[in-house]
Amino acid sequence: MYTFSNKLRTFSFILIILGALGVGYGFMTSHKSFEEVEHLLAEESHHEGGHAEVAHDEASHGAHATVNSHGEEAHAEVDAHAKHVEHVQHQIANRPWSALYVAAFFFMMIALGVLAFYAIQIASQAGWSPVLFRVMEGITAYLLPGALIVLAIAVASGTIGHYNLFVWMDPDVVAHDKLIQGKSGWLNLTGFIIRGLIFIGGWVLYRHFSRKFSIAQDTAEDKSNFKKSFRISAAFLVFFIYTESMMSWDWIMSVDPHWFSTLFGWYVFASMFVSGITVIALISIYLKSRGYLEFVNENHLHDVAKFMFAMSIFWTYLWFSQFMLIWYSNIPEEVTYFIARFNDYKLPFLGMVVLNFVFPILMLMNADYKRIPWFVVMTGLVILFGHYVDIFNMIMPATVGDRWFIGIPEISAILLFAGLFIFVVFTALTKAPLLVKGYPLRKESEDFHY
Amino acid sequence: MEASKVIHAIYTDDDILMSAVKKVKAEKHHIEEVYTPFPVHGLDRAMGLAPTRIAITAFLYGLVGLTVAITMMNFIMIEDWPQNIGGKPSFSYIENMPAFVPIMFELTVFFAAHLMVITFYLRSRMWPFKKSENPDPRTTDDHFLMEIAVHGNEEALVGLLKDTGAVEVNLVDKAH
């Protein structure tokens, strides 16, 4: 049995408190008045050395003061200026919401990716992984709170907040937007909530029963629990691939309601799968270093690292396929998605390809390196950071535009959910022995040798 | 220097062969060669053979393929005749890079795979019309053969090999 060390528990609480303070700070400072934003923009244009905005300001103010023959033109200019300021004001207000949402989704998708990996291991009757099942079950314990938090933030942004994440939740926007009106059969708040609850319900139900059968199998006389978990795993994988795809439309793609991509669900899946496998590796290495997993050897680590390597390439394949097809055909209604990312997010957009592809492919290609724990940990941390940036790149351009930065709101949100994740996962790990006793493939897994 | 006389010990089971190899190694005899009809897992380690470096050569060949692809596309599409084809930007390599990635990928794989296979053939001396080196045709079907050099310790060796479960132990004179 694993005991949650006090140090780690305190550490997770510190993360949660620090994160919560930072998130609160982010929300407090994001409410800027019209004048404040106006002032900010004027200052920015000063710093950049561009006098256009200032001149424009003076002109419009002057026009405001004296009613002359060009009154109508001046009015249009004032309107454009007001619109611009309001736009920026909205982007600034969106930032803490988006920061919270990106971090919440990132940790939720780790748990969901692990759940899919776990189901695949059971359905394929893998002989190497059963010694890691309890680690996977521990990680998936975060799925229920994590997914509910993601859904809650999404819904809150459209009810408590001022439509800070999804513009299609704003009835005022929809009223003037033919394209969103056409999609409102799918994109409406009621449907969004119901679908979200169905997705979460299905995943959590599978998680609950597979965990239950897994623990029941420890003391069972026969293999009936194993057979049951095999059957529900196969069924879950079918359910999962449909709901994961729809979840990615709902929770991520709909931040850009004018844009769509057919392989988006796979792309999000690749991201969550590789992050999940990486976290399995990290937590196994941690638990082994504390002496809790003496039955896990370097051969198991080697296999997990191979998955990290292969799925990193799989992610890149999908990332590139999506990018290249849109870049090549260059259809205006699709390509705006990448133009926004390329113009304002050059470093994160290209940097994540280095983090998620170039780095893992060079670090994890050698078979010997995949067996060295610190090497896998180092690469794993880079992969996780890379996939955080990936989610960041999916959400931020649609909500905050060029007003992005990885500052206090973003880092605090990561700390908050990292603390929560550590607390939930390691608490779940204490609930059951770390080795599946009665699982039929346990012996094979213990003797696994590559 | 190759011994002129060798002993051929023949086995009919891979497990017995494995334990025989370990025993012969423990007695510090040099195993010249082992002939088997199929790969026996762990035999190379038991014989103490050095690990293969063919994966490293494949990686280097892949880099060669990538370089060939980049140089070729850069010369043809950007330097030699930068045409406007369907509005694709051919001002610099990086601007039109996504269109070249499929070729870069395939040539990397092509070079890595083919040159590695050719390296394998050269290193293992395999080519068409090559004279077979098989000392006993049964080793391609269901027998395992271990070849050990003799340096005047014939009787001790024969005894040892009989003990390891060999079904046949033959003294062969190679010098002819």
Side-chain angles (χ1 to χ4, degrees):
Chain A
M1 285 297 260
Y2 170 69
T3 44
F4 198 169
S5 76
N6 270 328
K7 251 191 205 159
L8 193 63
R9 194 198 304 267
T10 319
F11 177 64
S12 72
F13 284 141
I14 292 172
L15 288 181
I16 293 175
I17 293 164
L18 272 180
L21 286 176
V23 169
Y25 169 82
F27 276 101
M28 305 250 283
T29 51
S30 68
H31 287 289
K32 299 243 190 283
S33 70
F34 188 88
E35 284 74 28
E36 278 173 316
V37 176
E38 206 170 28
H39 187 67
L40 184 86
L41 285 175
E43 223 168 52
E44 271 177 4
S45 57
H46 262 303
H47 279 297
E48 281 157 25
H51 300 284
E53 182 84 19
V54 184
H56 165 86
D57 272 5
E58 277 165 7
S60 56
H61 280 299
H64 217 42
T66 57
V67 183
N68 56 23
S69 55
H70 302 295
E72 220 156 82
E73 258 175 55
H75 251 303
E77 240 175 77
V78 171
D79 272 359
H81 172 70
K83 255 192 173 162
H84 178 59
V85 174
E86 258 168 35
H87 176 68
V88 173
Q89 189 185 9
H90 196 56
Q91 286 182 332
I92 293 173
N94 287 347
R95 191 173 154 201
W97 283 97
S98 311
L100 197 64
Y101 190 67
V102 169
F105 187 88
F106 175 69
F107 284 97
M108 185 285 288
M109 85 172 184
I110 289 173
L112 188 56
V114 172
L115 190 68
F117 188 72
Y118 178 71
I120 289 171
Q121 298 303 306
I122 292 178
S124 63
Q125 300 189 6
W128 66 277
S129 53
V131 293
L132 296 173
F133 276 0
R134 285 289 146 81
V135 176
M136 300 184 207
E137 287 166 16
I139 297 170
T140 55
Y142 181 75
L143 185 60
L144 177 61
L148 285 177
I149 290 169
V150 172
L151 188 63
I153 296 172
V155 173
S157 78
T159 48
I160 309 169
H162 199 76
Y163 317 110
N164 297 87
L165 289 171
F166 303 94
V167 285
W168 57 262
M169 287 182 182
D170 188 346
D172 204 35
V173 170
V174 178
H176 297 100
D177 193 321
K178 271 254 163 64
L179 281 171
I180 301 183
Q181 280 167 22
K183 295 179 183 182
S184 61
W186 180 272
L187 290 180
N188 58 74
L189 198 56
T190 326
F192 183 86
I193 295 171
I194 293 172
R195 284 193 304 274
L197 291 175
I198 293 173
F199 306 155
I200 298 172
W203 304 334
V204 169
L205 219 60
Y206 167 71
R207 197 265 161 191
H208 173 79
F209 281 106
S210 64
R211 168 79 163 178
K212 195 178 136 193
F213 295 148
S214 170
I215 287 173
Q217 185 67 59
D218 279 0
T219 49
E221 305 275 297
D222 57 4
K223 304 273 178 281
S224 63
N225 290 296
F226 163 69
K227 286 181 186 160
K228 275 190 262 180
S229 78
F230 173 78
R231 281 195 206 111
I232 61 168
S233 296
F236 166 73
L237 285 169
V238 176
F239 176 80
F240 172 77
I241 206 62
Y242 281 104
T243 50
E244 188 274 333
S245 199
M246 285 190 260
M247 176 276 282
S248 73
W249 309 336
D250 266 4
W251 296 1
I252 295 188
M253 201 159 77
S254 80
V255 293
D256 290 291
H258 286 176
W259 181 82
F260 51 86
S261 162
T262 41
L263 61 67
F264 198 76
W266 278 108
Y267 172 56
V268 174
F269 167 74
S271 211
M272 68 170 62
F273 206 52
V274 66
S275 317
I277 293 165
T278 305
V279 170
I280 296 174
L282 295 183
I283 293 186
S284 309
I285 290 169
Y286 170 77
L287 289 174
K288 188 168 168 56
S289 74
R290 292 276 174 266
Y292 288 109
L293 296 175
E294 69 285 345
F295 38 84
V296 171
N297 58 42
E298 57 176 14
N299 297 295
H300 298 102
L301 181 65
H302 189 158
D303 263 29
V304 179
K306 274 192 277 190
F307 264 106
M308 286 162 62
F309 176 73
M311 289 303 139
S312 287
I313 295 171
F314 179 61
W315 174 87
T316 316
Y317 167 65
L318 293 174
W319 173 83
F320 182 71
S321 302
Q322 177 170 277
F323 170 71
M324 197 262 241
L325 285 182
I326 291 174
W327 171 85
Y328 213 121
S329 60
N330 205 14
I331 299 171
E333 68 187 49
E334 287 178 354
V335 87
T336 48
Y337 185 80
F338 285 112
I339 291 196
R341 276 151 187 82
F342 225 86
N343 289 347
D344 300 329
Y345 288 76
K346 203 161 267 159
L347 179 66
F349 185 71
L350 297 174
M352 75 175 173
V353 184
V354 177
L355 296 172
N356 292 340
F357 175 64
V358 180
F359 196 78
I361 202 176
L362 292 177
M363 292 296 129
L364 293 178
M365 193 180 307
N366 190 322
D368 295 332
Y369 293 173
K370 286 196 273 265
R371 307 171 85 87
I372 306 171
W374 69 264
F375 222 90
V376 177
V377 170
M378 182 185 67
T379 317
L381 291 175
V382 171
I383 291 176
L384 284 183
F385 177 61
H387 285 282
Y388 171 79
V389 176
D390 186 19
I391 305 298
F392 187 85
N393 270 318
M394 293 179 190
I395 302 289
M396 289 294 181
T399 53
V400 301
D402 58 352
R403 304 250 139 217
W404 69 275
F405 191 70
I406 298 191
I408 292 176
E410 287 79 11
I411 293 170
S412 309
I414 297 174
L415 296 183
L416 170 65
F417 289 109
L420 195 64
F421 184 84
I422 292 172
F423 180 72
V424 172
V425 169
F426 283 87
T427 306
L429 285 171
T430 62
K431 298 275 168 64
L434 287 174
L435 179 61
V436 279
K437 283 257 159 41
Y439 194 79
L441 295 161
R442 188 202 82 189
K443 185 82 181 75
E444 182 182 340
S445 179
E446 278 180 312
D447 297 340
F448 174 68
H449 165 83
Y450 170 72
Chain B
M1 197 196 81
E2 204 171 302
S4 59
K5 275 187 176 176
V6 292
I7 287 181
H8 284 172
I10 295 178
Y11 300 87
T12 49
D13 187 283
D14 52 340
D15 283 337
I16 296 170
L17 173 79
M18 277 294 281
S19 62
V21 166
K22 281 174 194 157
K23 213 172 194 175
V24 171
K25 286 299 279 186
E27 299 281 332
K28 306 264 186 232
H29 292 294
H30 177 66
I31 300 175
E32 295 268 317
E33 195 67 84
V34 176
Y35 296 88
T36 65
F38 52 77
V40 177
H41 186 75
L43 185 61
D44 53 341
R45 204 162 291 176
M47 286 173 70
L49 299 181
T52 173
R53 288 167 296 183
I54 201 152
I56 299 169
T57 67
F59 178 72
L60 297 175
Y61 295 146
L63 292 184
V64 172
L66 185 63
T67 313
V68 167
I70 292 173
T71 322
M72 178 177 77
M73 302 306 293
N74 185 48
F75 176 71
I76 297 173
M77 302 301 291
I78 309 297
E79 284 175 10
D80 190 36
W81 195 2
Q83 280 189 104
N84 182 344
I85 303 167
K88 285 288 151 238
S90 48
F91 307 106
S92 71
Y93 188 79
I94 200 71
E95 267 183 309
N96 210 359
M97 207 270 287
F100 304 146
V101 166
I103 295 153
M104 286 154 65
F105 171 78
E106 295 294 350
L107 276 184
T108 307
V109 174
F110 180 87
F111 272 64
H114 288 83
L115 292 181
M116 179 177 79
V117 168
I118 292 169
T119 308
F120 170 73
Y121 286 156
L122 291 176
R123 288 292 289 148
S124 14
R125 298 161 190 283
M126 280 163 65
W127 53 82
F129 311 114
K130 150 108 184 188
K131 198 174 170 301
S132 159
E133 290 169 0
N134 195 347
D136 190 326
R138 287 176 300 169
T139 60
T140 61
D141 183 13
D142 59 349
H143 283 64
F144 303 80
L145 189 150
M146 191 199 307
E147 187 178 288
I148 300 161
V150 180
H151 298 284
N153 48 358
E154 214 178 295
E155 267 159 52
L157 251 179
V158 172
L160 173 70
L161 290 170
K162 285 257 177 224
D163 279 352
T164 58
V167 291
E168 242 179 68
V169 178
N170 306 321
L171 188 64
V172 179
D173 199 347
K174 267 196 156 178
H176 48 79

